[in-house]
């Protein structure tokens, strides 16, 4: 059965020093939050982590952003404030994960002949 082919939504923020990514639940939740700030961020952000791509764009390797990189880019390392800035100024990107197949019956042992 194919797995991992659901849609992913993320907000990409191209900064002066680094590029940042935050995953969101869906585009509709982000648009609702942008119109109505009384909606809790926990209903918009997925996983509550800020990632940095080391200037490799939206498709770069994602590492957790350090307090130093947040401080140099946003002037604070308070994650609540940084998340708000990224959600306000960032670009929404949606992708569909590539479909992959898993082991159908792992009790059969390895499927490669020795």
């Amino acid at each position: 059965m194919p797995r991992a082919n659901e849609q992913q939504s993320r907000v990409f923020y191209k900064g002066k020093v680094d590029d940042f990514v935050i995953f969101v639940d869906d585009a509709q939740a982000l648009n609702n939050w942008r119109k109505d700030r009384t909606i809790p961020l926990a209903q918009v952000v997925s996983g509550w982590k800020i990632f940095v791509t080391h200037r490799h764009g939206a498709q770069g390797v994602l590492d957790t952003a350090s307090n130093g990189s947040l401080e140099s880019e946003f002037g604070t390392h308070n994650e609540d404030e940084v998340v708000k800035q990224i959600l306000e100024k960032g670009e929404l990107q949606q992708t569909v994960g590539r479909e992959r197949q898993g082991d159908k019956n792992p009790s059969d042992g390895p499927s490669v002949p020795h």
Side-chain angles (χ1 to χ4, degrees):
M1 175 174 203
R3 294 179 285 186
N5 58 341
E6 62 270 347
Q7 185 166 347
Q8 279 187 337
S9 300
R10 64 170 114 191
V11 178
F12 173 72
Y13 177 85
K14 185 165 187 66
K16 296 176 219 136
V17 179
D18 262 322
D19 299 335
F20 297 88
V21 172
I22 295 177
F23 288 93
V24 294
D25 288 334
D26 62 8
Q28 187 61 40
L30 177 63
N31 290 332
N32 290 343
W33 179 83
R34 285 179 172 168
K35 293 175 190 166
D36 179 13
R37 298 298 167 94
T38 61
I39 297 172
L41 285 175
Q43 293 179 4
V44 179
V45 177
S46 178
W48 202 264
K49 260 192 157 347
I50 303 168
F51 296 98
V52 64
T53 65
H54 305 291
R55 299 298 285 175
H56 289 191
Q59 307 304 318
V61 174
L62 300 178
D63 289 329
T64 302
S66 68
N67 285 344
S69 64
L70 296 178
E71 189 77 42
S72 67
E73 186 68 45
F74 300 100
T76 181
H77 64 270
N78 180 339
E79 290 187 359
D80 293 342
E81 294 302 316
V82 172
V83 166
K84 287 178 187 176
Q85 288 185 43
I86 292 173
L87 292 178
E88 289 169 357
K89 301 173 186 173
E91 168 193 342
L92 177 67
Q93 298 180 339
Q94 295 179 308
T95 59
V96 175
R98 201 177 79 215
E99 190 175 285
R100 64 178 191 252
Q101 297 286 332
D103 254 349
K104 297 205 178 4
N105 191 355
S107 65
D108 284 344
S111 58
V112 178
H114 293 256

